[in-house]
Amino acid sequence: MYVNTKDILEKASKEYYAVPAFNINNMEFFHAILEGALEKRAPLIVETSEGAIKYAGNGDIFKGARFFVEMVRLFADSVDIPVALHLDHGKHFEYIIAAIKAGYSSVMIDASEEPFEENLRKTKEIVKIAHAAGVSVEAELGQLAGVEDNVVAAENVLVDPEQAKIFVEETGVDFLAPAIGTSHGAFKFKGEAKLDFERLKKVKELTKVPLVLHGASSVLPEYVRIAEEYGADLSGAKGVPEEDLKKCVELGINKVNTDTDLRIAFIAGLRKYLKENPKEFDPRHYLGAGKKFVKEVVMNRLEFLGCAGKA
Ligand SMILES: O=C(COP(=O)(O)O)N(O)CCCOP(=O)(O)O
Ligand SMILES: [Zn+2]
């Protein structure tokens, strides 16, 4: 059933487990993710960035938002696990409005690169509009470095826990993404992974809302190895160690954004299949090979974060 993201996350926050939020850009990833969540009897959050909406709408953002709502609802309304659709990194007003209008469960207003007062003002404005439409809201405090299609930031700026308390109280935001040292993409850390667990603990104590970890892919070595065996160049790729993720969940992270791990799994499956099947040109077969690896990663992450069986 199609639900509000807040319902999934409030339960997770109470019971101290986490739910991955899987990014989708097309039908194949969504099918693989849904199959994995159904097999694991887990609550499901799928999310689309602004880049994904532009891609699916072939440049038209209202068509793109509607495409994802129609596709997700078509399946969500016929399954007995909770499914939510979230706008990830809503930086532009028109994308946020397009998502609310189309029927997204929740939206992120990402004004984290603005000064604190401006982030607070913009978030408050979106919370008012979204809540009036029954849509829940995520916001971000501090900044993640790292690069993905449209989500680019120069450097890490860690969250100030005292500011987080004021921010949540004044905006009424439903869930918060505190920057604690992760970054987007496959090349997260130059040296050792370093997350600020103390800071995370304080943010949870002071805000008491469900928390979100962006840039949470682990860059799983088994899939990196397969992708490289069949021609990919992922040298230097490094993600969040799974033991660090576990610690984040114990300290109050409830939504774990996962995109890069699915991208690497898909390209590994696709490259392997194409090499091993040079005569193949049916997209249902070669895209199906990518889907298979995505579903494996999805099922492992649902299990690992503790939401398997929580549907
Ligand atoms: O936090 C994450 C993903 O983190 P990850 O890279 O560690 O999977 N996200 O919000 C995904 C951002 C995807 O943006 P785009 O579609 O523009 O490339
Ligand atoms: Zn993110």
Side-chain angles (χ1 to χ4, degrees):
M1 59 278 190
Y2 192 60
V3 301
N4 191 313
T5 315
K6 182 177 170 183
D7 302 338
I8 292 178
L9 293 181
E10 284 185 343
K11 185 169 179 292
S13 191
K14 270 199 207 84
E15 299 174 25
Y16 268 81
Y17 61 85
V19 181
F22 294 113
N23 286 77
I24 57 174
N25 293 281
N26 61 20
M27 174 187 76
E28 285 76 11
F29 275 64
F30 174 60
H31 284 174
I33 293 163
L34 181 64
E35 278 175 34
L38 282 167
E39 278 189 37
K40 285 292 178 185
R41 307 296 312 146
L44 178 58
I45 303 172
V46 285
E47 60 182 17
T48 66
S49 64
E50 293 187 349
I53 287 177
K54 201 166 173 197
Y55 175 76
N58 210 15
D60 180 316
I61 63 173
F62 285 91
K63 285 194 177 71
R66 266 204 57 200
F67 169 85
F68 284 118
V69 169
E70 302 291 329
M71 175 174 72
V72 171
R73 288 213 62 151
L74 181 65
F75 289 87
D77 290 345
S78 62
V79 297
D80 61 352
I81 60 169
V83 180
L85 173 61
H86 177 70
L87 170 68
D88 187 25
H89 289 291
K91 289 182 180 285
H92 302 92
F93 190 70
E94 59 273 24
Y95 280 90
I96 295 171
I97 297 305
I100 292 171
K101 189 165 178 276
Y104 274 58
S105 310
S106 54
V107 293
M108 177 182 186
I109 161 66
D110 180 359
S112 57
E113 286 163 35
E114 311 272 1
F116 177 74
E117 289 308 327
E118 182 57 3
N119 185 356
L120 193 143
R121 186 192 67 77
K122 282 190 172 175
T123 302
K124 227 169 162 175
E125 180 190 25
I126 296 301
V127 166
K128 190 159 173 263
I129 298 167
H131 282 185
V135 171
S136 45
V137 182
E138 175 186 332
E140 182 170 338
L141 266 185
Q143 278 179 44
L144 276 74
V147 180
E148 296 208 13
D149 195 5
N150 291 335
V151 187
V152 184
E155 59 186 56
N156 266 318
V157 176
L158 300 183
V159 65
D160 170 343
E162 296 300 330
Q163 269 194 350
K165 178 174 183 338
I166 299 164
F167 188 87
V168 167
E169 283 165 0
E170 300 220 351
T171 61
V173 73
D174 299 290
F175 33 106
L176 180 72
I180 58 165
T182 56
S183 58
H184 288 121
F187 306 90
K188 296 182 191 298
F189 304 99
K190 297 269 173 298
E192 276 315 294
K194 209 171 142 338
L195 303 189
D196 194 326
F197 297 113
E198 262 322 294
R199 209 176 280 265
L200 170 58
K201 187 165 178 285
K202 280 211 196 88
V203 169
K204 190 70 174 188
E205 281 163 3
L206 291 172
T207 63
K208 299 186 179 38
V209 293
L211 298 180
V212 184
L213 188 66
H214 281 250
S217 281
S218 298
V219 184
L220 300 164
E222 57 273 42
Y223 296 95
V224 171
R225 186 184 51 71
I226 296 171
E228 290 188 318
E229 189 179 330
Y230 292 94
D233 176 4
L234 290 168
S235 41
K238 190 172 177 56
V240 180
E242 289 193 316
E243 61 273 13
D244 285 6
L245 269 186
K246 243 204 185 0
K247 188 130 190 254
C248 287
V249 177
E250 286 159 13
L251 292 172
I253 288 287
N254 308 109
K255 174 174 176 276
V256 175
N257 282 19
T258 307
D259 188 13
T260 296
D261 279 337
L262 303 192
R263 294 181 179 189
I264 292 174
F266 191 89
I267 198 64
L270 179 62
R271 281 180 172 276
K272 181 170 186 299
Y273 186 86
L274 290 177
K275 186 82 181 137
E276 292 173 350
N277 301 276
K279 291 190 171 48
E280 183 56 76
F281 55 89
D282 181 335
R284 291 165 299 186
H285 296 163
Y286 58 77
L287 295 177
K291 270 175 66 177
K292 188 167 155 296
F293 278 15
V294 169
K295 182 176 169 181
E296 285 174 7
V297 170
V298 164
M299 290 175 75
N300 292 334
R301 189 142 273 214
L302 291 167
E303 199 66 58
F304 174 77
L305 293 175
C307 65
K310 296 278 189 186

